[in-house]
PDB file of all heavy atoms in Angstrom:
ATOM      1  N   LEU A  83    -229.705 -24.056  28.195  1.00 88.00           N
ATOM      2  CA  LEU A  83    -228.538 -24.272  27.165  1.00 88.00           C
ATOM      3  C   LEU A  83    -228.388 -23.147  26.415  1.00 88.00           C
ATOM      4  O   LEU A  83    -227.237 -22.687  25.982  1.00 88.00           O
ATOM      5  CB  LEU A  83    -228.855 -25.505  26.328  1.00 88.00           C
ATOM      6  CG  LEU A  83    -228.894 -26.797  27.000  1.00 88.00           C
ATOM      7  CD1 LEU A  83    -229.368 -27.900  26.120  1.00 88.00           C
ATOM      8  CD2 LEU A  83    -227.502 -27.069  27.469  1.00 88.00           C
ATOM      9  N   LEU A  84    -229.471 -22.464  25.992  1.00 90.00           N
ATOM     10  CA  LEU A  84    -229.412 -21.175  25.233  1.00 90.00           C
ATOM     11  C   LEU A  84    -228.734 -20.016  25.936  1.00 90.00           C
ATOM     12  O   LEU A  84    -227.886 -19.386  25.501  1.00 90.00           O
ATOM     13  CB  LEU A  84    -230.871 -20.676  24.862  1.00 90.00           C
ATOM     14  CG  LEU A  84    -230.938 -19.465  23.908  1.00 90.00           C
ATOM     15  CD1 LEU A  84    -230.334 -19.597  22.588  1.00 90.00           C
ATOM     16  CD2 LEU A  84    -232.445 -18.920  23.814  1.00 90.00           C
ATOM     17  N   ALA A  85    -229.020 -19.965  27.211  1.00 90.00           N
ATOM     18  CA  ALA A  85    -228.260 -18.981  28.060  1.00 90.00           C
ATOM     19  C   ALA A  85    -226.823 -19.323  28.164  1.00 90.00           C
ATOM     20  O   ALA A  85    -225.949 -18.549  28.164  1.00 90.00           O
ATOM     21  CB  ALA A  85    -228.871 -18.909  29.471  1.00 90.00           C
ATOM     22  N   GLY A  86    -226.433 -20.634  28.262  1.00 89.00           N
ATOM     23  CA  GLY A  86    -225.017 -20.995  28.299  1.00 89.00           C
ATOM     24  C   GLY A  86    -224.352 -20.606  26.986  1.00 89.00           C
ATOM     25  O   GLY A  86    -223.182 -20.157  26.970  1.00 89.00           O
ATOM     26  N   ALA A  87    -225.042 -20.853  25.818  1.00 91.00           N
ATOM     27  CA  ALA A  87    -224.453 -20.409  24.545  1.00 91.00           C
ATOM     28  C   ALA A  87    -224.180 -18.877  24.484  1.00 91.00           C
ATOM     29  O   ALA A  87    -223.226 -18.387  24.103  1.00 91.00           O
ATOM     30  CB  ALA A  87    -225.338 -20.895  23.432  1.00 91.00           C
ATOM     31  N   PHE A  88    -225.250 -18.206  24.996  1.00 93.00           N
ATOM     32  CA  PHE A  88    -225.191 -16.743  24.939  1.00 93.00           C
ATOM     33  C   PHE A  88    -223.955 -16.319  25.885  1.00 93.00           C
ATOM     34  O   PHE A  88    -223.302 -15.266  25.630  1.00 93.00           O
ATOM     35  CB  PHE A  88    -226.541 -16.088  25.469  1.00 93.00           C
ATOM     36  CG  PHE A  88    -227.447 -15.967  24.273  1.00 93.00           C
ATOM     37  CD1 PHE A  88    -228.778 -15.779  24.581  1.00 93.00           C
ATOM     38  CD2 PHE A  88    -227.073 -16.196  22.914  1.00 93.00           C
ATOM     39  CE1 PHE A  88    -229.621 -15.633  23.498  1.00 93.00           C
ATOM     40  CE2 PHE A  88    -227.993 -16.246  21.893  1.00 93.00           C
ATOM     41  CZ  PHE A  88    -229.371 -15.915  22.261  1.00 93.00           C
ATOM     42  N   GLY A  89    -223.923 -17.018  26.979  1.00 93.00           N
ATOM     43  CA  GLY A  89    -222.783 -16.681  27.969  1.00 93.00           C
ATOM     44  C   GLY A  89    -221.385 -16.854  27.343  1.00 93.00           C
ATOM     45  O   GLY A  89    -220.481 -16.011  27.567  1.00 93.00           O
ATOM     46  N   ALA A  90    -221.157 -17.869  26.542  1.00 93.00           N
ATOM     47  CA  ALA A  90    -219.957 -18.006  25.841  1.00 93.00           C
ATOM     48  C   ALA A  90    -219.669 -16.700  24.850  1.00 93.00           C
ATOM     49  O   ALA A  90    -218.625 -16.370  24.662  1.00 93.00           O
ATOM     50  CB  ALA A  90    -219.949 -19.255  25.030  1.00 93.00           C
ATOM     51  N   LEU A  91    -220.851 -16.413  24.253  1.00 94.00           N
ATOM     52  CA  LEU A  91    -220.643 -15.195  23.276  1.00 94.00           C
ATOM     53  C   LEU A  91    -220.340 -13.935  24.138  1.00 94.00           C
ATOM     54  O   LEU A  91    -219.592 -13.088  23.597  1.00 94.00           O
ATOM     55  CB  LEU A  91    -221.988 -15.088  22.593  1.00 94.00           C
ATOM     56  CG  LEU A  91    -222.041 -13.869  21.493  1.00 94.00           C
ATOM     57  CD1 LEU A  91    -220.973 -14.063  20.488  1.00 94.00           C
ATOM     58  CD2 LEU A  91    -223.520 -13.893  20.997  1.00 94.00           C
ATOM     59  N   VAL A  92    -220.911 -13.857  25.307  1.00 95.00           N
ATOM     60  CA  VAL A  92    -220.783 -12.618  26.133  1.00 95.00           C
ATOM     61  C   VAL A  92    -219.162 -12.608  26.526  1.00 95.00           C
ATOM     62  O   VAL A  92    -218.541 -11.503  26.553  1.00 95.00           O
ATOM     63  CB  VAL A  92    -221.566 -12.623  27.325  1.00 95.00           C
ATOM     64  CG1 VAL A  92    -221.170 -11.553  28.299  1.00 95.00           C
ATOM     65  CG2 VAL A  92    -223.039 -12.327  26.886  1.00 95.00           C
ATOM     66  N   GLU A  93    -218.653 -13.822  26.886  1.00 93.00           N
ATOM     67  CA  GLU A  93    -217.252 -13.827  27.111  1.00 93.00           C
ATOM     68  C   GLU A  93    -216.355 -13.290  26.097  1.00 93.00           C
ATOM     69  O   GLU A  93    -215.441 -12.437  26.312  1.00 93.00           O
ATOM     70  CB  GLU A  93    -216.915 -15.217  27.504  1.00 93.00           C
ATOM     71  CG  GLU A  93    -217.405 -15.799  28.765  1.00 93.00           C
ATOM     72  CD  GLU A  93    -216.940 -17.177  29.070  1.00 93.00           C
ATOM     73  OE1 GLU A  93    -215.596 -17.393  28.907  1.00 93.00           O
ATOM     74  OE2 GLU A  93    -217.665 -18.066  29.478  1.00 93.00           O
ATOM     75  N   ARG A  94    -216.701 -13.579  24.795  1.00 92.00           N
ATOM     76  CA  ARG A  94    -215.979 -13.139  23.727  1.00 92.00           C
ATOM     77  C   ARG A  94    -216.164 -11.615  23.452  1.00 92.00           C
ATOM     78  O   ARG A  94    -215.204 -10.824  23.014  1.00 92.00           O
ATOM     79  CB  ARG A  94    -216.365 -13.905  22.436  1.00 92.00           C
ATOM     80  CG  ARG A  94    -215.803 -15.333  22.419  1.00 92.00           C
ATOM     81  CD  ARG A  94    -216.157 -16.154  21.165  1.00 92.00           C
ATOM     82  NE  ARG A  94    -215.547 -17.371  21.085  1.00 92.00           N
ATOM     83  CZ  ARG A  94    -214.373 -17.766  20.755  1.00 92.00           C
ATOM     84  NH1 ARG A  94    -213.584 -16.721  20.351  1.00 92.00           N
ATOM     85  NH2 ARG A  94    -213.934 -18.883  20.773  1.00 92.00           N
TER      86      ARG A  94
END
Side-chain angles (χ1 to χ4, degrees):
L83 291 174
L84 181 63
F88 281 167
L91 179 61
V92 169
E93 291 184 40
R94 292 184 174 272

